[in-house]
Structure formats: structure tokens, C-alpha cells
Amino acid sequence: MSASTGAPTPPGHRRHDIDALRALAFLFVILYHVGMYYVAGWPWHLKSPHAAEWLQWPMVALNIWRMDLVFLVSGVSLGFLSRGQGTWALLRSRGVRLLLPLAFGMAVIVPYQAYAQGVANGYVAPGFGAFLLRYLSMGAPWPKQAFDGAEFGITWNHLWYLPYLFAYTALVAATLPLWRSAAGQWLRRAFNGLRGWRLLVLPVVPLLVFTLLLASRFPGTHNFVRDFHLHSIYFTLFLYGYWMGVDTGVWKELERLRRVSLVLAIAVISTFFALRAGMKAPLPSSLTDLLRVLYLWLMVAAILGHAHRHLNRPWPWLRWANESVYPWYVLHQTLIVAGITVLAPLALGPVVEPALLVVLTLAGCWLLTDGVIRRVGFLRPLFGLKITRPASPQPLAPPPPARGWRSPSPRA
């Protein structure tokens, strides 16, 4: 591994491609969660009578890298935020930004998802008010089959990303002296100095080792305490992003390799699908693991390279999208579930209904965010936005001197 030859990004320089990637990655999350209602054979809070098996193929292709990209981009953001900040400053700022929306979301936004699932499963009686009182009291536990997380009495559902991200941020913040030491800087330079095939292959090795050791024993559950496999993958990608954050050389190399990495990613996922479709017996787990993690990193590398090439400019929509990401993320899945309860009784069919569900979800996110959340001061931090303070009034300029009046002489 060669030393990094890229100069760090100058302080104050805005990485527009990272801002755009963050917004687009969360848009994929919204579309993926709509797809979860319609994909056959995959458990979710509610399931459509129009569930389709063919959806499994694009959903698998998206699922393998979607949250990994989100965590890597979050690590890049931390790399920029941590410059000039100490451990406690990072923990304080990230804690408010992540944990406050988590607590508010679990108490106010998520309960309707649990209620709708509980009613659909036959374990919750209709009547959201009565459900909410019992849910918030966290008294007697619900039947385990009532809704996801019912055994704990309260759930974070899709908001699991927030505690995971805070934990990874806290771990890096608590070990800042290590990452800023000579050994930590050497490790960062070694990763950012990868070029050519090494950049497309070597980052896969830790992901493959963790997957071979942990995937079968700890399948992903979003149970924070026991989610060892997903923690190992997500934190590794988060750390890659943290290392890459302010280095320019590795981003230029990803841009240079963007077409190669995309072609290789398509070849790997095509091989994966062809083997799954052509073999009657399940694929060997080691081969499955290799193809999945190789495709994961190649696809992430291709997306990063293309984004750096095409999105690193001050798009007019970028500032709005940047401030919309957190509220849309917090709101979207509850709006999907609410949209399902409205549309399902209308029996609109497998084409019109999903199209309307996407439109209703996006419109609801936009109306609530732009019409309410941004405009109400106390709501902003509950959805991860900074509190806006009114601009200080400018002092009035002194009136012009009256005509014919002269200022007194300094000697007077």
C-alpha cells in the first residue's frame, strides 16, 4: 500500500457530491421501504395482496449496498466535522442531532406503524388512542407477534439507523487520540493510498472476514445488542468514510475507476443471480458471502466515483435537500404505512396503487417538512434540524446633517 498523495480538502470547502449522495441515498431508502410492502416472501410490517416474486431481484441488488452507502457517507461527514473538534464537542453535537429525533420519533412518529401492524396481525384492537396510551406507558409487554419490537413494549422500527450511527460516532469520538496518533494517521494514509485494483479489492477483505465469521451466527435483526454482523460491516464502512473524508487523492482515484468498478459490480451481481437461478440446491455460503461483499464494495466505489465526477457542484436544489434529509427519513415509513391503510381498501391494483403510494409518501414528507417542521422553531431539533435564530436588527444609520449645517471644527 502506498502513501496517500492527495492533499486534504481545505477547511470550509463544501463537498457537494457528499451532500447530494446523502439526499439520494435516503431517497433510495424511501423507495426500498415502499418495495418492502410489495415484495413476495420478505417479512415487513404490512404485506400487499399484490406481492410479486420478481421484485426480489431488484430489491436484493439494492439491499446489499443501500445502508452501507449511507453509513460510509455518514463517516465522510464525520471526517469533516471532527476537524478542530474534540471528543466532547462531537458527542454533544451528534447526540442532540441523533438521539433527540430518535426519542421523539419512537414516542410520536413510529407508534402508528406498530399499531397498524398489530391490528393487521390481530393482536391489537382497533382504536389508536387506546393503543398509544398503553404503548407510551411501557407497562405490560405486548404479545411478541403483535408488531416488530413488541417484546420490549416500544420500538424504533426504521429509526434504528440513528442509534447505530450515534454508537459508531461515539466510538470514533472517544478514540480520537488514537486516530490522530502517528499509527492512526499511517493507517488512514495507507487506506487512502490504495490505487488501481488494490482500491477495488483490498477493502473487501475485512468485510469478507467479518461475514464469514459472523453472518451465520448473528443474522441481521436490528437488535442493537446482538447485531454483531451488521455492526462489523456498517462500522467498517463508516470507518472507511471517516478515513476518506478530507483526502483528495482517493476520491480522484475512485472517479478514475468509476466505469471499471461499475462494470465489475454488474458482472458480480449478474453472476450471483445466474448461479442462484441455475442451481437447484442453495449456493455454498462462502461463495454467496464472497459475491455479496465484493458486489457491495464495487457498487459503493462506483457510486462514489460517479458522484464525485458528476455531482460535486453547487446544485440549486442541494441546500433544500440537505435540510430535508432528516425530517423525510423520520417521517417516511409512517407515511408509507398510513398511505397503505388509505389505499389498500380501494383495490386499485398492482400498478396504480404503488405509484400512488410513492406519490403520497413523497408529498406527505414535503408538505410536513416545508409547511410545518421548518417553520415551527421547537419542532426543528426534534427532526434533526438546527434551531434558527432571528437575525439581529441592524442599528439605524444616523440621520443626514441638515442642509446648511456644518460639523464643528475639531478645535472648537
Side-chain angles (χ1 to χ4, degrees):
M1 288 187 282
S2 60
S4 174
T5 58
T9 303
H13 177 77
R14 192 82 189 181
R15 282 289 302 276
H16 303 295
D17 56 328
I18 298 303
D19 292 337
L21 263 183
R22 183 189 299 109
L24 294 174
F26 277 103
L27 180 61
F28 276 119
V29 170
I30 294 175
L31 297 177
Y32 178 85
H33 284 154
V34 172
M36 285 297 293
Y37 177 56
Y38 293 102
V39 61
W42 292 18
W44 199 60
H45 311 295
L46 302 173
K47 295 302 293 186
S48 171
H50 306 299
E53 290 190 4
W54 67 266
L55 266 178
Q56 292 182 7
W57 301 100
M59 291 287 282
V60 167
L62 180 59
N63 183 52
I64 291 175
W65 55 262
R66 63 184 181 94
M67 290 307 300
D68 308 85
L69 175 65
V70 170
F71 278 108
L72 186 140
V73 170
S74 299
V76 173
S77 299
L78 183 66
F80 281 88
L81 288 170
S82 63
R83 293 192 294 181
Q85 290 198 54
T87 296
W88 293 113
L90 278 177
L91 289 177
R92 184 170 57 252
S93 63
R94 295 294 89 190
V96 171
R97 188 87 187 273
L98 299 173
L99 298 185
L100 186 57
L102 173 64
F104 176 77
M106 291 174 66
V108 177
I109 307 298
V110 168
Y112 185 76
Q113 299 178 42
Y115 166 74
Q117 184 180 3
V119 171
N121 290 343
Y123 290 96
V124 173
F128 181 62
F131 170 85
L132 186 61
L133 288 175
R134 180 179 172 185
Y135 175 89
L136 293 178
S137 68
M138 298 181 62
W142 301 86
K144 187 175 181 180
Q145 300 83 3
F147 55 86
D148 295 350
E151 63 270 29
F152 303 106
I154 192 169
T155 181
W156 52 41
N157 276 2
H158 71 289
L159 299 181
W160 63 268
Y161 161 75
L162 299 177
Y164 280 51
L165 178 57
F166 179 75
Y168 305 157
T169 301
L171 184 56
V172 170
T175 54
L176 277 179
L178 170 64
W179 301 117
R180 292 171 177 173
S181 68
Q185 290 300 308
W186 177 86
L187 192 59
R188 181 196 295 262
R189 289 193 300 270
F191 180 86
N192 289 331
L194 295 174
R195 297 292 182 264
W197 67 267
R198 293 177 178 83
L199 183 57
L200 301 182
V201 173
L202 294 184
V204 176
V205 174
L207 304 176
L208 179 59
V209 171
F210 291 140
T211 300
L212 291 173
L213 293 177
L214 300 174
S216 60
R217 298 177 58 193
F218 302 101
T221 60
H222 299 149
N223 178 336
F224 183 84
V225 177
R226 292 185 54 80
D227 220 1
F228 297 116
H229 175 231
L230 286 185
H231 280 316
S232 68
I233 299 299
Y234 290 154
F235 181 68
T236 300
L237 271 295
F238 180 80
L239 202 56
Y240 288 172
Y242 174 69
W243 287 338
M244 293 164 59
V246 298
D247 187 89
T248 58
V250 70
W251 290 100
K252 291 178 180 177
E253 183 68 358
L254 285 169
E255 179 181 338
R256 188 182 72 85
L257 296 171
R258 67 189 185 279
R259 295 187 182 91
V260 174
S261 54
L262 181 58
V263 169
L264 290 175
I266 294 172
V268 171
I269 195 62
S270 299
T271 301
F272 177 66
F273 286 155
L275 291 175
R276 282 185 58 176
M279 294 182 64
K280 295 182 179 180
L283 293 177
S285 59
S286 57
L287 177 60
T288 299
D289 292 339
L290 173 61
L291 292 174
R292 286 176 67 93
V293 297
L294 185 58
Y295 166 67
L296 184 165
W297 176 248
L298 288 171
M299 196 65 195
V300 168
I303 292 171
L304 296 178
H306 281 278
H308 193 62
R309 177 68 176 87
H310 300 292
L311 297 179
N312 197 14
R313 63 191 71 176
W315 299 95
W317 50 268
L318 202 50
R319 183 176 179 182
W320 169 85
N322 239 350
E323 202 174 46
S324 299
V325 165
Y326 267 115
W328 282 46
Y329 167 69
V330 173
L331 291 168
H332 80 274
Q333 189 159 287
T334 295
L335 291 176
I336 292 173
V337 172
I340 290 170
T341 60
V342 171
L343 295 175
L346 303 179
L348 298 173
V351 176
V352 175
E353 183 188 277
L356 278 179
L357 184 56
V358 171
V359 171
L360 287 176
T361 302
L362 298 180
C365 288
W366 174 67
L367 287 171
L368 289 172
T369 300
D370 284 51
V372 181
I373 295 168
R374 281 181 172 166
R375 299 171 184 269
V376 181
F378 75 89
L379 286 178
R380 292 180 62 87
L382 299 178
F383 287 88
L385 302 181
K386 295 179 180 179
I387 298 176
T388 56
R389 293 178 174 82
S392 302
Q394 297 296 320
L396 295 176
R403 185 175 299 176
W405 181 88
R406 293 183 179 179
S407 58
S409 169
R411 297 181 181 178

